Amino acid sequence: MEQYSGISKDKMRFAFLNGFLYVLAGSIQLVFSLLTMFNLCSVNSFENGLIGILFAPSDLMGSLILVLIGSVFIYGLMEMRNGLDEGIAYVYVGILISLLFAMVYVLVIAGNWMEMYLLNVPQISYWDILYDLRPAIYLGILPLCGYLIWKKEFRTMNK
């Protein structure tokens, strides 16, 4: 680890933390979504607990997306540990993908809120923000901080 610069160590820690969190959240969400898909466990047992709020057990595609984002971070970490500078690019791509999906889920929440507020239809008047909360939203806070710290490095190189 002595051959790495301070910036690379920070990026390696950042990649490890994000990769671990995304893969963990995606794996847990995948297990619970498969359990509910095959009727091995009821959805109602998850809705009232913390796991239902944090991991949205019925979102199979969302769990695969989280695992994919986490694997991008982990691959970048492995590249950086092997001394390849291309690993930093994987970390940057992981940041951008995680921010993209977090923004998509935020836009879904905003759309559902506007639908409830503007249409005022009785069938959707029971909408709750916790129903649309997805792990990609709150996991996207750490990559957002990373983007804000390293935003100058995201720009193209001078010609």
Side-chain angles (χ1 to χ4, degrees):
M1 287 291 281
E2 288 84 20
Q3 72 268 20
Y4 303 119
S5 66
I7 295 173
S8 294
K9 284 183 185 178
D10 291 340
K11 289 179 184 172
M12 289 173 65
R13 287 184 196 111
F14 180 80
F16 173 75
L17 182 62
N18 276 307
F20 175 75
L21 290 175
Y22 273 92
V23 169
L24 178 69
S27 300
I28 292 172
Q29 187 178 5
L30 179 66
V31 167
F32 287 132
S33 61
L34 290 175
L35 286 175
T36 57
M37 244 173 53
F38 295 120
N39 290 327
L40 298 174
C41 193
S42 75
V43 176
N44 293 333
S45 64
F46 296 120
E47 286 179 353
N48 295 331
L50 184 63
I51 291 174
I53 293 170
L54 295 179
F55 296 108
S58 62
D59 192 11
L60 179 65
M61 294 308 289
S63 65
L64 295 175
I65 289 169
L66 290 176
V67 171
L68 174 73
I69 293 170
S71 63
V72 169
F73 280 116
I74 291 174
Y75 189 78
L77 172 68
M78 291 187 323
E79 292 284 315
M80 285 189 290
R81 285 192 55 87
N82 290 335
L84 300 173
D85 291 334
E86 290 84 14
I88 294 172
Y90 283 98
V91 174
Y92 292 159
V93 168
I95 289 171
L96 294 176
I97 292 173
S98 63
L99 292 177
L100 174 75
F101 280 103
M103 188 52 103
V104 166
Y105 284 123
V106 167
L107 289 174
V108 167
I109 288 175
N112 287 340
W113 177 80
M114 286 174 35
E115 183 180 24
M116 181 202 63
Y117 181 75
L118 296 175
L119 296 179
N120 205 10
V121 178
Q123 288 86 2
I124 55 175
S125 63
Y126 60 91
W127 175 79
D128 189 13
I129 193 169
L130 293 179
Y131 178 75
D132 284 340
L133 186 64
R134 298 288 186 249
I137 295 171
Y138 53 82
L139 287 175
I141 293 171
L142 191 59
L144 178 63
C145 294
Y147 175 77
L148 293 175
I149 291 169
W150 298 312
K151 67 182 172 184
K152 292 181 183 175
E153 297 178 27
F154 277 85
R155 300 174 195 248
T156 59
M157 295 177 60
N158 294 333
K159 295 180 180 180

